[in-house]
Amino acid sequence: MKILDWYILKRYLFTFLMMLLLFIPIGITVDLAEKVGKILENKVPFEETAVYYLNFTVYFANLLFPLFLFLSVIWFTSKLANNTEIVAFLSSGVSFSRFLRPYLIGATIIATFALFLGMYLAPVASQGFNDFKYKYLKKSKKIQQTRDVYRQINDNDYIYINNFITKSKVGTNFTYEHFENNELKYKIFADNIRYLEEDSIYRLTSYLKRTFNNGVETVEKKRRMDMDFPFELEDLSPVEYAAETKPYGELLDFIAAEKRRGSPNIGRYEVVKLKKWSLPVSIFILTIIAVAVSSIKRRGGMGVNLAFGISIAMIYVFFDKVFGVMAEQSNFPAVIAVWLPNVIFGILAIYLLQNAKR
């Protein structure tokens, strides 16, 4: 049986690798054809463009990993079925569960790599990919939350800003609140706040500070006031794709900090975190579905299996995207949004597997 295991496992990994090598250049070509005008218009250096497409390759592969695997398994398993090799395997006394074992070994190898890719390599690629995109290709698009920013900085301090202009580093209607033992100690207001990069301090215009001490309020007013606050410039205009660019350990710390700060984007960040775990699981589910669908020789040959497989893949992507957007844009629980497609297709995998065994 080891010969059978190695035979299927090598076909599994080789076909998946060929699928990546086939589709990634196609993806790069399509993306380059769409963006070449803006790249030339903005006179982007060749080195930066090359690094962008290296990051694009990792970003693209991580995004579509399960689908590439799904189509590759359908492809080579259909060829085995059309050549009656599967019939020969099963006729020799091999059970369908035993026949499935090398597929699951291959899925384990790919899932382990996908987990490592999602935890550590994909965040680095996402950082470079998004930085390039918003620097050269989407200059007018907002990548940061700049209006009605309300954040908890630490256990005692809160800030609010009505509007922040990232280019000039100026915000309007700034408020800073400091609490001790759940009691408001002082509150600072300013019509404008400007970050002075050379001194790493903030300049407040129309400064007003109200201090509360044992029921006594004191008011301090100044036309201008320079201060050093316990928050970073990024806290005034958080980047929307920040979670995608952080390795898993940093991502957990980032989400915990954002929850304390009252960020409205927690759903988006939770989706990014949970997908790092759900994607490897989906590799096993889609592998089982692909084997169950394509292991039977059908009238119409490989084309029927591929058509059926592509239909399932599109439905999976649809569910994944719809539930992901629901979690990002509403109070829909992220854990349900991320794992529900795997639950649905896991049930489908069990059903198809039982039919294939019969």
Side-chain angles (χ1 to χ4, degrees):
M1 286 304 126
K2 289 184 179 180
I3 296 176
L4 171 62
D5 291 340
W6 276 111
Y7 178 71
I8 293 178
L9 182 59
K10 285 190 289 187
R11 295 285 296 272
Y12 182 104
L13 298 176
F14 178 77
T15 308
F16 172 66
L17 180 61
M18 290 300 103
M19 192 71 69
L20 283 179
L21 294 178
L22 173 65
F23 277 98
I24 287 177
I26 293 174
I28 291 175
T29 302
V30 171
D31 188 77
L32 181 60
E34 179 187 350
K35 297 180 172 64
V36 65
K38 288 186 177 180
I39 290 174
L40 295 175
E41 178 184 339
N42 292 308
K43 299 179 180 179
V44 183
F46 173 79
E47 295 79 8
E48 291 194 41
T49 305
V51 172
Y52 165 74
Y53 278 106
L54 178 62
N55 290 324
F56 174 85
T57 298
V58 177
Y59 184 84
F60 185 68
N62 182 66
L63 194 65
L64 299 176
F65 229 64
L67 300 185
F68 288 153
L69 183 69
F70 183 63
L71 294 177
S72 65
V73 172
I74 285 183
W75 174 267
F76 86 81
T77 306
S78 295
K79 290 187 68 176
L80 293 178
N82 287 340
N83 295 334
T84 65
E85 292 179 75
I86 295 179
V87 173
F89 295 151
L90 299 179
S91 299
S92 66
V94 177
S95 67
F96 196 89
S97 299
R98 179 63 182 82
F99 169 72
L100 191 62
R101 189 170 78 174
Y103 286 94
L104 297 180
I105 294 172
T108 301
I109 295 172
I110 300 298
T112 302
F113 179 71
L115 186 64
F116 176 78
L117 184 70
M119 294 286 186
Y120 303 107
L121 299 183
V124 177
S126 180
Q127 178 76 62
F129 174 80
N130 283 293
D131 286 350
F132 181 94
K133 182 169 66 174
Y134 287 104
K135 181 179 180 181
Y136 293 113
L137 307 178
K138 294 186 176 182
K139 293 183 178 181
S140 61
K141 294 290 182 84
K142 289 185 177 180
I143 62 172
Q144 296 168 293
Q145 181 188 352
T146 57
R147 295 190 62 84
D148 295 324
V149 179
Y150 180 78
R151 295 168 71 79
Q152 181 177 354
I153 302 304
N154 50 48
D155 292 339
N156 300 316
D157 300 312
Y158 298 79
I159 60 170
Y160 169 80
I161 193 166
N162 176 252
N163 187 38
F164 188 79
I165 303 171
T166 55
K167 187 174 182 180
S168 60
K169 299 181 176 64
V170 174
T172 59
N173 296 331
F174 171 76
T175 302
Y176 180 89
E177 298 175 332
H178 176 76
F179 289 81
E180 292 179 9
N181 298 321
N182 294 323
E183 182 181 350
L184 179 63
K185 288 298 182 179
Y186 63 84
K187 191 170 186 177
I188 295 173
F189 302 89
D191 289 345
N192 294 290
I193 179 172
R194 177 188 296 273
Y195 181 69
L196 304 179
E197 193 167 3
E198 61 276 12
D199 300 318
S200 298
I201 60 173
Y202 297 90
R203 175 163 292 170
L204 307 181
T205 306
S206 299
Y207 167 86
L208 171 66
K209 180 178 182 181
R210 298 172 59 192
T211 304
F212 306 92
N213 187 16
N214 297 324
V216 179
E217 177 184 352
T218 57
V219 178
E220 178 186 0
K221 290 184 179 181
K222 289 187 178 181
R223 186 179 65 85
R224 192 177 74 182
M225 183 71 173
D226 293 343
M227 298 190 68
D228 183 16
F229 286 111
F231 58 81
E232 303 295 332
L233 179 63
E234 291 76 14
D235 290 321
L236 297 177
S237 55
V239 177
E240 293 184 352
Y241 61 80
E244 299 176 17
T245 65
K246 299 185 180 300
Y248 191 71
E250 294 181 17
L251 177 61
L252 295 180
D253 294 338
F254 173 76
I255 292 175
E258 290 299 297
K259 285 181 177 179
R260 290 196 302 269
R261 293 168 175 173
S263 171
N265 299 319
I266 294 299
R268 176 179 300 160
Y269 303 151
E270 288 285 347
V271 167
V272 172
K273 180 188 75 173
L274 294 170
K275 278 191 174 182
K276 294 182 184 297
W277 294 102
S278 69
L279 187 142
V281 173
S282 69
I283 288 174
F284 288 95
I285 293 171
L286 293 177
T287 294
I288 293 172
I289 293 176
V291 175
V293 167
S294 57
S295 60
I296 303 172
K297 187 174 181 179
R298 303 176 189 275
R299 185 177 300 174
M302 190 184 302
V304 175
N305 288 338
L306 284 174
F308 187 61
I310 291 173
S311 299
I312 292 178
M314 293 302 102
I315 295 173
Y316 178 84
V317 170
F318 175 78
F319 272 86
D320 184 60
K321 292 298 180 184
V322 167
F323 285 113
V325 171
M326 288 174 61
E328 292 175 4
Q329 304 295 333
S330 67
N331 293 325
F332 193 80
V335 64
I336 296 178
V338 172
W339 285 101
L340 187 59
N342 278 350
V343 171
I344 294 173
F345 280 81
I347 295 172
L348 176 63
I350 294 172
Y351 171 76
L352 293 174
L353 184 60
Q354 293 301 321
N355 282 348
K357 286 181 178 181
R358 290 198 291 268

